[in-house]
Amino acid sequence: MEPQLDPMKDDLPLMANTSHMLVKHYVLDLDVDFKSQVIEGFIVLFLETGSRYRRASSTGEEGCQSQFDETCKIRASEQGHVPVSNASACSSKMEYNDFAVCGKGEKDTSDKNGNHSNEEQASGISSSKNCCDIENHGNEDFLLVLDCCDLSVLKVEEVDVAAVSGIEKFTRSAKLTDVSKELANLRNQIVHELVTLPSDRWKEQLYYYTCCSQAPGCGELLFATGTWSLEIRKSGIRTPADFPHAIRIQYKTKPEGRSVTWTTDQSGRPCVYTMGSPINNRALFPCQEPPIALSTWQASVRTAASFVVLMSGENSAEPVQLQEGIMSWYYYVTMPMPASTFTIAVGCWQEVKQSFTPAVQTNNEFSLPCSQADFRWHEESCGHVEYPCRFQSPAARLQRVIPYRVFAPWCLMKCCEEHLLQLIPQCLSAAYTTLGTHPFSRLDVLIVPSNFSSLGMASPHIIFLSQSVLPGGRHLCGTRLCHEIAHAWFGLAIGARDWTEEWISEGFATFLEDVFWARAQQLSHDEEKAQQELKALLRWRRLRDEVQNSEEELQVLRPNKESTGEVSESGASIVKHGLKAEKIFMQVHYLKGYFLLRSLARRIGGASYLASLRKFVNKFHGQLVLSQDFLSMLLEDVPEQKESGLTVESIFTNWLDSSGIPKPLLEEGETWKESRLVQQVSGEVTKWIRTNQRIRKSGKKKRRQDEGTFQKLLPDQLVLLLEHLLEEKTLCPRTLQGLEKTYQLRDQDAEVRHRWCELVVKHKYVPAYGDVEKFLREDQAMGVYLYGELMVNEDAKQQELAYKCFAAAREQMDVSSAKVVAEMLF
């Protein structure tokens, strides 16, 4: 069934017809221009026929025509034209001065006199309607559909890979009978041989990808751009097998494109980065967005010499000077990943270094709990498509801490050095202790600009962190770092086959965040249990509030239910609510997913449960999964749980397919209140309530006995304390003053300061309005709903503060955040 899109709804269309053709590798060759706020250049796509077409090919050409039905349903609003330009206009851009693997400056050997053009002229597709009619006939040209929006596509052409020197080695198995016809088949055969090279020849493969990407064009292709797609065809070609398997697209991004944000960093220097947009990367380059389209990539990015280019890539790129003032950066990835995971950040970042190497514990308590079964899993062949897998590398399996670097604006370097640099090896080591082999070979951590709408985001080889995690000690920084590191296994190495099942990524990362952080701190069993019960209570309260204040439909972890993972005949699909602005601020997938995993761990036993997670990682890394893949494997390991009524179906019913708080969780919620750390907070809450009552009775007279003796609290305890005090109808100004002074709330982490700001707003504590203004300016990842609280009191001063802060931040604010705040204010 083809996807039905309602333009009035907030579903995200995935248009690419991946069942008919799959992109196996991207080569990007880009220039970043900060003056025009445009990224422009070329992308070369290396394609293979898709699985559905291969199955249907025996029935004749009709088997590949069904993609036309779906492309008519969402029709292009912007008409593409195939320009016939001077061939030399684009050739100067296609320079690979950095060699494919080593990154050193091997000179470009391609012809500079126009070899990227073609001699024949092709006309543009005359109209969207005519194109749609052709598709409906089902007997005309095959159409390649790519996900694309907010891009200016200038030219699409076939690449003559057969012209590459030394490419003959990939043609030996080709059987040519009719040479006049079969030059096109030869090119496709070369691409097939190249994309299917064994993984131990990855360096050679990257080298020839580079060479082929620079090969001359051999014919422009017809194309049309729509709201969500780029549609490409070649006259007379009716099947994916005959469609060119190497195509080059010349394009430009638009300043308003939603995949990247152009802004300034905390030091006032210009920068651009992929900020985790709901539309992913389709406004950065034409691609196949569905997660099933796993691909590798390599990219050369040129920009002014004062900028640093960071990217998801296996190599730590060293810049190569192309000309005075221009540097080129080259990255590559050999592990097939969804195109949505491609990440880039270009700015005047400074590398944060330290003069000593922090010691990482290597005692027995902190070593990887490997069993003989763990080693057997490693010895088995991997279940993913072939690539140079670290799980098969003896050296990688012993690498407790992978190489890492930290980048930040210069004004935040000292802050990063104080905590972040020392936390990274501790958290990486704790993750290795828990799950084993790191899926990725290195890690960059970047402190992104203040307009970043989240506390963190993980991509292959790179993590973005908000500046909000830096102040206030180690706790928030450490827990968030652990969360993002966990995504290397759950979310990246193992991805959801259906994007609506984001709990597979976020639920696991939230659960493992606690495990990693406890091990990084080297807590005792009792300390770990107490901290995790406190955290569970805080999350339960957050889930309760979110369930009460959000649409029921958005609370379901498996919204497609029995249709989860299904796509249309062409491979196109939709992501339900993928464009809903409020959704990026919801945590229901984090929280319900976390509680499900916590519940399973309690029933099965902590040690057995973590062993099952390691088994799951070893079995499914490099693959896409559905909920039942994990649940079925887990229950197979503990058959006694089935006898007690725990089945995949019961978990679907109670946890994944329904809204609200799951019934098993309602029963467990009260138990955490008995935790030692929670009881300690309860005692402090009672003291503050009594203090407030005494102050109210005493009037304006200041008495020393107002200030009782209060205990020192952990950051999470402070959060719980302030949440309890938020439930009080009235707190006097002197009580609020005492709170801030006792706990030095202005110096605490962002989670604590957020609750403090809520108290300030609720009780109209004017002396601390500056704290609210600072939070809205510097902690945009967390401050969105403070705007609503400033407006709901209908207080003139508070509303004036909200308008003032929004006016100052709006221009640089994340689009989704700005939309949500604007709806609150206007």
Side-chain angles (χ1 to χ4, degrees), residues 218-234:
C218 56
E220 294 192 14
L221 302 175
L222 304 167
F223 70 90
T225 55
T227 304
W228 293 111
S229 64
L230 169 64
E231 302 164 345
I232 304 169
R233 68 181 175 92
K234 181 178 181 179

Side-chain angles (χ1 to χ4, degrees), residues 684-818:
E684 298 304 292
V685 171
T686 301
K687 291 180 189 176
W688 280 108
I689 291 173
R690 289 173 179 169
T691 297
N692 186 61
Q693 291 170 345
R694 285 199 301 269
I695 292 173
R696 291 182 65 188
K697 288 178 181 177
S698 66
K700 295 185 178 180
K701 297 178 182 178
K702 289 192 177 182
R703 303 192 315 174
R704 285 197 168 187
Q705 49 268 50
D706 286 351
E707 299 180 11
T709 303
F710 298 98
Q711 297 185 47
K712 185 177 180 180
L713 299 178
L714 298 171
D716 281 341
Q717 288 180 296
L718 278 176
V719 170
L720 184 59
L721 170 74
L722 297 179
E723 286 186 358
H724 278 305
L725 293 177
L726 272 165
E727 296 167 0
E728 292 298 305
K729 186 174 181 180
T730 305
L731 291 179
C732 301
R734 273 165 54 197
T735 304
L736 294 168
Q737 183 183 24
L739 264 173
E740 198 289 317
K741 182 180 178 182
T742 300
Y743 301 115
Q744 298 294 300
L745 295 178
R746 293 187 178 98
D747 297 327
Q748 296 292 338
D749 68 36
E751 291 280 9
V752 176
R753 286 185 286 110
H754 183 266
R755 272 61 170 197
W756 165 240
C757 288
E758 288 183 288
L759 272 174
V760 169
V761 172
K762 177 176 179 176
H763 298 292
K764 301 178 183 178
Y765 183 49
V766 178
Y769 278 7
D771 297 346
V772 177
E773 181 177 356
K774 182 181 179 185
F775 193 90
L776 291 176
R777 185 176 68 250
E778 297 182 1
D779 298 286
Q780 293 183 32
M782 302 179 66
V784 166
Y785 288 112
L786 270 181
Y787 283 100
E789 291 169 35
L790 285 168
M791 298 301 292
V792 77
N793 278 339
E794 297 185 352
D795 177 87
K797 280 188 178 180
Q798 291 191 359
Q799 292 185 350
E800 181 183 353
L801 179 61
Y803 291 129
K804 173 186 173 184
C805 291
F806 186 52
R810 183 173 194 170
E811 188 176 339
Q812 298 293 331
M813 191 178 281
D814 167 76
V815 174
S816 295
S817 301

Side-chain angles (χ1 to χ4, degrees), residues 27-32 39-42 93 95-100 210 298-303 309 311 322 327-332 342 344:
V27 178
L28 296 101
D29 191 74
L30 303 174
D31 290 280
V32 179
I39 299 173
E40 64 177 306
F42 298 82
K93 298 291 185 183
E95 295 178 0
Y96 276 83
N97 286 346
D98 22 8
F99 176 61
T210 301
Q298 61 193 96
S300 285
V301 179
R302 291 170 296 279
T303 192
V309 178
M311 194 186 299
L322 299 181
M327 305 293 278
S328 178
W329 302 73
Y330 172 80
Y331 289 90
Y332 63 84
F342 178 95
I344 186 172

Side-chain angles (χ1 to χ4, degrees), residues 23-47:
V23 178
K24 305 301 289 184
H25 187 77
Y26 297 92
V27 178
L28 296 101
D29 191 74
L30 303 174
D31 290 280
V32 179
D33 185 352
F34 281 93
K35 289 183 179 179
S36 62
Q37 294 192 343
V38 163
I39 299 173
E40 64 177 306
F42 298 82
I43 183 169
V44 178
L45 280 57
F46 294 86
L47 300 130

Side-chain angles (χ1 to χ4, degrees), residues 394-669:
R397 295 204 302 265
L398 294 173
Q399 195 172 23
R400 176 182 297 277
V401 177
I402 55 176
Y404 62 91
R405 303 182 298 179
V406 175
F407 291 87
W410 69 265
C411 64
L412 294 177
M413 291 179 69
K414 183 178 179 182
C415 201
C416 289
E417 191 173 357
E418 286 178 0
H419 296 301
L420 180 57
L421 264 183
Q422 298 161 43
L423 284 170
I424 292 174
Q426 296 170 17
C427 296
L428 286 172
S429 184
Y432 173 87
T433 303
T434 307
L435 295 178
T437 308
H438 289 282
F440 300 102
S441 58
R442 67 177 197 93
L443 176 64
D444 283 339
V445 178
L446 171 66
I447 303 299
V448 286
S450 57
N451 70 339
F452 189 51
S453 62
S454 170
L455 286 180
M457 184 177 80
S459 301
H461 312 283
I462 186 168
I463 286 173
F464 290 169
L465 287 180
S466 165
Q467 66 177 21
S468 297
V469 306
L470 296 177
R474 294 161 44 95
H475 178 74
L476 181 58
C477 188
T479 54
R480 195 66 206 192
L481 187 59
C482 286
H483 183 99
E484 303 308 333
I485 287 173
H487 278 310
W489 287 268
F490 291 95
L492 295 174
I494 300 173
R497 199 195 315 167
D498 188 318
W499 273 347
T500 61
E501 287 201 302
E502 59 191 281
W503 83 270
I504 294 175
S505 172
E506 297 301 351
F508 274 94
T510 304
F511 175 83
L512 288 166
E513 164 192 326
D514 293 352
V515 179
F516 291 0
W517 184 232
R519 293 185 170 184
Q521 297 175 91
Q522 299 184 67
L523 300 180
S524 68
H525 174 75
D526 289 344
E527 289 173 325
E528 178 180 358
K529 184 173 183 289
Q531 283 197 15
Q532 292 183 2
E533 287 177 341
L534 170 61
K535 200 77 172 180
L537 178 59
L538 287 171
R539 288 173 178 147
W540 188 88
R541 293 169 61 89
R542 199 169 306 163
L543 177 61
R544 180 197 61 191
D545 292 346
E546 188 158 296
V547 164
Q548 291 172 352
N549 296 290
S550 63
E551 300 174 34
E552 284 192 8
E553 195 174 4
L554 298 180
Q555 301 169 16
V556 180
L557 302 195
R558 209 173 67 116
N560 293 333
K561 298 190 168 78
E562 64 275 0
S563 299
T564 301
E566 293 182 6
V567 297
S568 67
E569 176 72 15
S570 71
S573 62
I574 60 172
V575 180
K576 291 189 73 172
H577 310 299
L579 296 175
K580 197 172 186 68
E582 309 94 275
K583 192 170 183 291
I584 68 170
F585 303 106
M586 292 187 64
Q587 295 197 2
V588 66
H589 292 81
Y590 295 70
L591 299 173
K592 285 178 74 172
Y594 154 81
F595 280 118
L596 167 57
L597 298 174
R598 194 176 192 278
S599 173
L600 293 172
R602 285 181 66 239
R603 290 189 66 156
I604 294 168
S608 298
Y609 185 67
L610 291 180
S612 292
L613 289 190
R614 290 195 297 276
K615 179 180 177 182
F616 183 71
V617 164
N618 280 280
K619 182 177 181 180
F620 285 101
H621 68 273
Q623 300 174 67
L624 301 171
V625 299
L626 298 174
S627 296
Q628 53 263 42
D629 294 319
F630 169 70
L631 297 174
S632 297
M633 192 210 75
L634 182 68
L635 296 181
E636 284 173 8
D637 288 347
V638 283
E640 64 273 12
Q641 291 297 331
K642 286 188 178 181
E643 297 171 7
S644 66
L646 184 65
T647 64
V648 173
E649 291 72 25
S650 68
I651 294 171
F652 281 169
T653 300
N654 291 325
W655 290 90
L656 302 183
D657 291 353
S658 57
S659 60
I661 295 179
K663 291 180 182 177
L665 184 56
L666 288 172
E667 301 164 4
E668 191 181 1

Side-chain angles (χ1 to χ4, degrees), residues 22-273:
L22 277 173
V23 178
K24 305 301 289 184
H25 187 77
Y26 297 92
V27 178
L28 296 101
D29 191 74
L30 303 174
D31 290 280
V32 179
D33 185 352
F34 281 93
K35 289 183 179 179
S36 62
Q37 294 192 343
V38 163
I39 299 173
E40 64 177 306
F42 298 82
I43 183 169
V44 178
L45 280 57
F46 294 86
L47 300 130
E48 281 266 79
T49 51
S51 58
R52 184 157 296 177
Y53 173 75
R54 286 195 294 271
R55 287 198 301 270
S57 61
S58 60
T59 65
E61 290 183 3
E62 294 79 5
C64 73
Q65 297 300 328
S66 58
Q67 82 283 358
F68 300 141
D69 301 333
E70 165 261 319
T71 52
C72 287
K73 292 180 179 173
I74 308 174
R75 180 40 48 204
S77 60
E78 175 187 347
Q79 186 53 45
H81 174 67
V82 178
V84 181
S85 58
N86 186 321
S88 62
C90 65
S91 62
S92 63
K93 298 291 185 183
M94 289 298 292
E95 295 178 0
Y96 276 83
N97 286 346
D98 22 8
F99 176 61
V101 176
C102 65
K104 302 300 181 183
E106 175 167 306
K107 294 297 180 183
D108 182 10
T109 57
S110 62
D111 182 0
K112 303 300 181 199
N113 297 316
N115 62 7
H116 291 297
S117 184
N118 57 288
E119 295 181 1
E120 68 176 271
Q121 295 186 359
S123 62
I125 298 173
S126 57
S127 74
S128 303
K129 182 178 184 299
N130 289 345
C131 181
C132 190
D133 289 343
I134 289 172
E135 293 162 9
N136 278 331
H137 293 156
N139 59 4
E140 291 293 339
D141 297 342
F142 166 75
L143 199 65
L144 173 68
V145 183
L146 300 174
D147 293 297
C148 171
C149 73
D150 300 335
L151 292 178
S152 297
V153 178
L154 307 176
K155 180 179 180 180
V156 182
E157 65 180 344
E158 182 177 357
V159 179
D160 187 6
V161 295
V164 171
S165 175
I167 205 71
E168 301 82 17
K169 67 172 72 178
F170 299 118
T171 65
R172 290 171 190 161
S173 61
K175 297 178 181 178
L176 300 184
T177 53
D178 181 359
V179 176
S180 61
K181 174 190 173 187
E182 304 337 318
L183 187 54
N185 286 351
L186 175 63
R187 296 186 188 112
N188 286 355
Q189 176 68 25
I190 290 170
V191 174
H192 172 74
E193 295 291 332
L194 180 56
V195 300
T196 56
L197 276 180
S199 61
D200 59 358
R201 295 172 66 183
W202 65 270
K203 291 185 180 181
E204 178 187 9
Q205 187 181 47
L206 283 177
Y207 169 74
Y208 278 104
Y209 276 140
T210 301
C211 295
C212 288
S213 71
Q214 299 175 60
C218 56
E220 294 192 14
L221 302 175
L222 304 167
F223 70 90
T225 55
T227 304
W228 293 111
S229 64
L230 169 64
E231 302 164 345
I232 304 169
R233 68 181 175 92
K234 181 178 181 179
S235 293
I237 298 301
R238 298 187 178 184
T239 70
D242 294 331
F243 190 82
H245 284 31
I247 62 173
R248 180 163 44 233
I249 303 170
Q250 182 184 5
Y251 73 98
K252 293 182 178 182
T253 64
K254 297 178 180 179
E256 68 273 18
R258 289 166 283 171
S259 290
V260 297
T261 183
W262 300 84
T263 185
T264 54
D265 67 18
Q266 293 85 339
S267 297
R269 305 295 300 274
C271 61
V272 60
Y273 69 102

